[in-house]
Amino acid sequence: MSDAHALADVYTDDEAAEHSNPEVRSVIASFMHSQFLTIESDPDLFRLAVHHKEEVRAWFASTLGWPFAAYPSDGMCRLYKRRWDPPSDRPPRINLQGTSKDRTASPFVITLMCLVCEQLWRHPETSFNDLQRALVQTCATESESGRLPRFQPVAQAGEGRARANAHRLGLVDALRLLEGWHIIDVDQSLDIAEQDHRADLVVIARRDRLAALPASLSPSLMDIDLDQPESHVPALCGDQAELEEHASARQHDRRRRHTALRIVLDDPGVAPHPDSDVGRYLSSPGGQRQAVDAAAAAGLVCNVRRDWWIVSDPDGTTTDVTFPLARNIEEQAALVLLQALSRTDSEESRPELSLEEATARIQQHLEEHPHWAASHRSRGAQRMAKNAVNRLVGAGILVNAGQADARWTITPAAQMWQVRVTDLTEQSSTAAPGSASDLAEGLADE
């Protein structure tokens, strides 16, 4: 089946009109940012999601192949988002109440969160200390075989408290994730449990929302070998596996469309390789038009080139990534690196960037601009380079090279930016050290 015929099956005129509805579009955009929506988190948006649940469900099913479900009586809507090629650089972010900062959840925290859900399903109302003891027992039986991490939130005799405190903080962060998703309620601030190892809290789970949390069947119901983690994604995303030879052309077209649009709507940068099904689809006039229209329905804008797509969100609805900015030292350091990357001939050779090279570039800039980042020099150029690289990865300018050492591939996105770095100290000799006017300013124009 041709692309034109395949695309004709996607939307009818009525469906296209529904998806141009600004209310439907706002709901779609919100679920591209977070797959959970509760009445407590945003009452107005929740009511819109429930009111337009059929249109939203139809859009996600036809465009991305992801199930959407609304549970009005439970006060929750859920997008079940799964990918055969899950991004490895987007762990859940933990909201720290009372501050504007958050932090990413480590694999240890995510594992504890899953174990917490298991315990709360059995005992929806429990105490922090009882939950802690249950996890200690669970991990003790499986940690020797390597199936679960060791969890020791209480220091043993003769041991320091550093590891125990780290494990206790891991449990607190796991509960923070569930609290942020409004899956659980805690009678006091979790900061108390973090600061006082003798404190105890009451944790109450909503089992209806716990039941809606998993995006796949329980691993216990599937043929999964815990000793072969590389087999887990194919098992959990079996519906996205290669189709059988006898599958119809329509099924193959639908699978190809879903795969391509998931990448466009879920990644900041897309490489349309001509030797891949996704690349051929996005290179065709019909496929490109479908991808751009689908992105627009989610509030995204596609900057399309032959070798690279940049997908951005001008309204900041679907992502927390903001680029480019130069409001703090980390963001300025990212622009300093981008200035160097945009000067390289990366369109054909696709060179790689090492942590050593990034550190050397930041160190060079520190030496050339002695007043820049004066308060950050004690942290070292390498730490600044790591933070800068993380921001460029989030913007799709660098991607992990897939190697054990710290190396990143420079994408063609680097050539889509022009960066000018100026030192404002050259213009103001009266600025106090460390003031805003004493910092290097980075400007990036797309």
Side-chain angles (χ1 to χ4, degrees):
M1 181 182 295
S2 67
D3 286 329
H5 289 160
L7 293 173
D9 296 329
V10 181
Y11 296 126
T12 65
D13 291 340
D14 291 340
E15 287 175 325
E18 288 173 350
H19 301 147
S20 65
N21 184 331
E23 293 183 350
V24 176
R25 292 160 70 98
S26 66
V27 173
I28 290 172
S30 73
F31 279 99
M32 295 307 300
H33 179 269
S34 174
Q35 287 72 64
F36 305 96
L37 176 62
T38 63
I39 192 170
E40 297 93 343
S41 61
D42 194 329
D44 293 335
L45 189 61
F46 177 79
R47 282 190 285 269
L48 285 179
V50 172
H51 180 69
H52 295 289
K53 61 181 182 296
E54 295 304 328
E55 297 99 308
V56 176
R57 182 185 295 117
W59 188 89
F60 277 113
S62 64
T63 305
L64 301 170
W66 288 337
F68 170 84
Y71 307 98
S73 61
D74 298 335
M76 181 179 184
C77 295
R78 175 80 161 96
L79 175 66
Y80 294 93
K81 173 182 169 183
R82 291 180 293 115
R83 280 178 57 176
W84 183 269
D85 53 342
S88 60
D89 57 349
R90 301 178 208 168
R93 301 193 68 85
I94 302 165
N95 181 30
L96 303 178
Q97 294 184 356
T99 70
S100 59
K101 298 181 179 180
D102 55 14
R103 58 171 170 256
T104 57
S106 66
F108 178 69
V109 170
I110 297 173
T111 302
L112 290 181
M113 183 199 70
C114 295
L115 296 175
V116 166
C117 290
E118 180 183 26
Q119 294 297 324
L120 292 176
W121 182 256
R122 298 171 181 171
H123 308 286
E125 184 172 345
T126 186
S127 69
F128 180 88
N129 287 339
D130 286 344
L131 190 59
Q132 187 172 259
R133 282 190 288 269
L135 295 190
V136 169
Q137 295 174 2
T138 300
C139 291
T141 59
E142 299 287 350
S143 60
E144 294 299 329
S145 62
R147 294 177 182 270
L148 288 177
R150 186 177 297 277
F151 180 63
Q152 293 181 339
V154 178
Q156 303 297 317
E159 294 183 354
R161 291 203 53 83
R163 183 173 66 176
N165 289 338
H167 286 196
R168 183 180 180 88
L169 176 59
L171 176 56
V172 172
D173 281 347
L175 292 173
R176 282 190 174 120
L177 279 177
L178 295 173
E179 185 181 44
W181 296 336
H182 299 281
I183 303 295
I184 66 171
D185 292 311
V186 186
D187 68 334
Q188 301 179 69
S189 171
L190 285 167
D191 292 342
I192 296 176
E194 177 181 348
Q195 298 164 5
D196 184 1
H197 69 277
R198 296 168 297 180
D200 199 6
L201 311 174
V202 176
V203 181
I204 302 175
R206 296 193 56 166
R207 296 186 86 226
D208 47 0
R209 295 183 180 179
L210 272 177
L213 189 59
S216 65
L217 293 174
S218 169
S220 62
L221 303 176
M222 307 176 70
D223 186 17
I224 288 182
D225 188 346
L226 295 178
D227 295 326
Q228 296 182 356
E230 67 279 0
S231 67
H232 294 176
V233 170
L236 296 172
C237 301
D239 59 315
Q240 300 177 24
E242 290 293 331
L243 295 173
E244 301 291 340
E245 293 183 0
H246 57 74
S248 67
R250 184 184 296 273
Q251 289 175 307
H252 282 285
D253 286 329
R254 181 182 294 272
R255 176 61 54 81
R256 181 177 56 164
R257 184 179 72 248
H258 285 170
T259 302
L261 296 186
R262 284 174 191 146
I263 295 174
V264 170
L265 270 69
D266 208 32
D267 292 340
V270 182
H273 297 300
D275 56 346
S276 67
D277 284 343
V278 169
R280 286 190 291 270
Y281 179 82
L282 295 178
S283 298
S284 68
Q288 186 176 116
R289 184 175 63 254
Q290 175 65 33
V292 171
D293 289 347
L300 304 175
V301 175
C302 297
N303 191 322
V304 179
R305 293 199 340 175
R306 176 182 55 82
D307 58 343
W308 194 256
W309 290 35
I310 285 183
V311 185
S312 58
D313 179 3
D315 296 328
T317 304
T318 68
T319 179
D320 295 326
V321 176
T322 52
F323 188 87
L325 286 177
R327 296 174 181 170
N328 56 45
I329 295 300
E330 289 79 7
E331 293 163 352
Q332 293 167 13
L335 292 174
V336 168
L337 276 185
L338 179 55
Q339 182 190 39
L341 298 179
S342 62
R343 292 174 177 171
T344 62
D345 182 17
S346 62
E347 297 223 24
E348 298 296 333
S349 58
R350 301 287 295 277
E352 293 182 349
L353 175 74
S354 68
L355 180 59
E356 291 76 12
E357 293 167 338
T359 302
R361 180 66 187 95
I362 296 298
Q363 183 61 45
Q364 178 185 355
H365 194 78
L366 286 169
E367 294 172 356
E368 293 175 352
H369 302 273
H371 295 287
W372 178 67
S375 61
H376 288 64
R377 289 175 182 269
S378 60
R379 303 180 184 180
Q382 185 179 82
R383 181 173 177 180
M384 294 175 65
K386 287 181 178 179
N387 292 332
V389 164
N390 288 337
R391 280 165 169 76
L392 296 179
V393 169
I397 296 168
L398 297 176
V399 294
N400 195 300
Q403 301 178 13
D405 54 345
R407 300 189 69 84
W408 298 269
T409 299
I410 304 171
T411 72
Q415 300 300 317
M416 301 173 74
W417 297 91
Q418 292 182 348
V419 182
R420 182 177 72 256
V421 179
T422 60
D423 189 346
L424 298 187
T425 58
E426 298 174 357
Q427 307 171 19
S428 174
S429 60
T430 60
S435 67
S437 61
D438 196 38
L439 301 177
E441 179 186 23
L443 301 176
D445 299 315
E446 186 176 343

